[in-house]
Amino acid sequence: MPTPSPARKHTFTVVSNDEIADGIFSLVISAPELARAIKPGQFVNIAVPGNAMSLLRVPLSYESADPEAGTVTIWYAVVGDGTRRLSQMGAGSTSDLLGPGGRGWTVPEGCGRALLVAGGIGVPPVLCLARELASAGIAFDVCLGSATAGKLVGVEDFKRLGAASVSICTDDGSEGHCGFCTDPASELLAQGGYGYVATCGPEPMMAKVAAASADAGVPCEASLERMMSCGFGACATCAVETTGGMKGACMCGPVFDAKEVVW
């Protein structure tokens, strides 16, 4: 297991901040040192201006980084006051963040094919991993889930990266299969041929993916969402119950070996 990178404080400038789906935004920031250091699966903890009473940063995973341009792209859903204020930061706005934080994805050596399963706003860290797999020449299939077609993100990005298949599921049937992305994921795992599974999304979804992976005998990692109040292991608000005891998601995660998580 790789040692997580110690988070550092970085100032950043907003390059763009656009809505790309219903309630989902793509934030591009200029932060050259961060862009060179961050790895797929890690996260940043952003100080969002606009509310002097709010002391907590907003923890977010990222979608891509461009070390040459010095930019990092973060996809996020507006779900509360912090992300609402974040969505109002326009080009040229500045603030600071802590990052890169935590432990990212660890693809097993010799993996020839991977299965990526993402639901809702769990897409960004999985898409970031897909870029790494494509660069390494590792084949991958994708299962995506969303509440409705209007909230789907990343479909064309996965296809451009060379995904062998992209299975789309929506809760209301407005696009793709009506149902959950755990169904096609389980079917693909039953067919065999995978050396690794990565998943991020709602916890019940990830629990099912973890169980199906275990049944198929395939290593699985899951990126868990917790309220990372400090982002560097001091506050213990992001605890995850594991077979080895309680562990902080900000340092031991957010990516965990799925078989070690007590679902």
Side-chain angles (χ1 to χ4, degrees):
M1 180 184 296
T3 302
S5 299
R8 296 288 183 266
K9 190 173 182 180
H10 302 266
T11 57
F12 69 85
T13 302
V14 174
V15 176
S16 61
N17 194 9
D18 303 312
E19 190 170 15
I20 58 173
D22 184 15
I24 299 175
F25 285 72
S26 174
L27 170 70
V28 181
I29 62 172
S30 176
E33 290 186 10
L34 178 69
R36 290 191 292 268
I38 199 164
K39 302 297 181 185
Q42 292 186 306
F43 71 97
V44 295
N45 221 8
I46 300 178
V48 183
N51 183 353
M53 299 297 291
S54 179
L55 301 179
L56 299 181
R57 294 172 180 266
V58 176
L60 295 169
S61 55
Y62 77 109
E63 180 268 335
S64 61
D66 186 335
E68 292 187 6
T71 58
V72 177
T73 300
I74 299 164
W75 291 357
Y76 64 96
V78 175
V79 295
D81 178 63
T83 47
R84 179 191 60 79
R85 285 184 284 111
L86 182 61
S87 71
Q88 296 170 348
M89 293 184 70
S93 300
T94 61
S95 189
D96 62 69
L97 57 78
L98 296 177
R103 171 185 180 270
W105 306 105
T106 307
V107 181
E109 188 174 348
C111 174
R113 191 176 197 87
L115 177 62
L116 311 181
V117 188
I121 199 59
V123 168
V126 176
L127 178 55
C128 194
L129 173 61
R131 298 183 192 282
E132 187 173 75
L133 295 176
S135 178
I138 299 174
F140 60 93
D141 296 297
V142 181
C143 297
L144 295 178
S146 177
T148 186
K151 292 183 176 295
L152 270 172
V153 291
V155 177
E156 296 306 317
D157 299 271
F158 282 114
K159 290 179 179 178
R160 280 194 293 268
L161 287 170
S165 67
V166 178
S167 301
I168 300 171
C169 301
T170 50
D171 295 353
D172 62 2
S174 54
E175 188 162 340
H177 171 71
C178 181
F180 304 122
C181 61
T182 49
D183 295 333
S186 296
E187 292 172 5
L188 287 168
L189 281 166
Q191 295 172 15
Y194 295 103
Y196 174 67
V197 178
T199 184
C200 184
E203 203 147 308
M205 180 207 84
M206 292 192 289
K208 290 184 178 181
V209 173
S213 300
D215 289 343
V218 181
C220 176
E221 289 188 314
S223 179
L224 304 186
E225 180 180 354
R226 291 291 188 274
M227 186 61 236
M228 302 173 187
S229 298
C230 70
F232 51 84
C235 69
T237 60
C238 63
V240 173
E241 186 178 3
T242 75
T243 55
M246 302 300 288
K247 296 183 178 180
C250 69
M251 295 298 288
C252 299
V255 177
F256 288 85
D257 184 333
K259 71 176 183 292
E260 296 180 358
V261 178
V262 177
W263 298 101

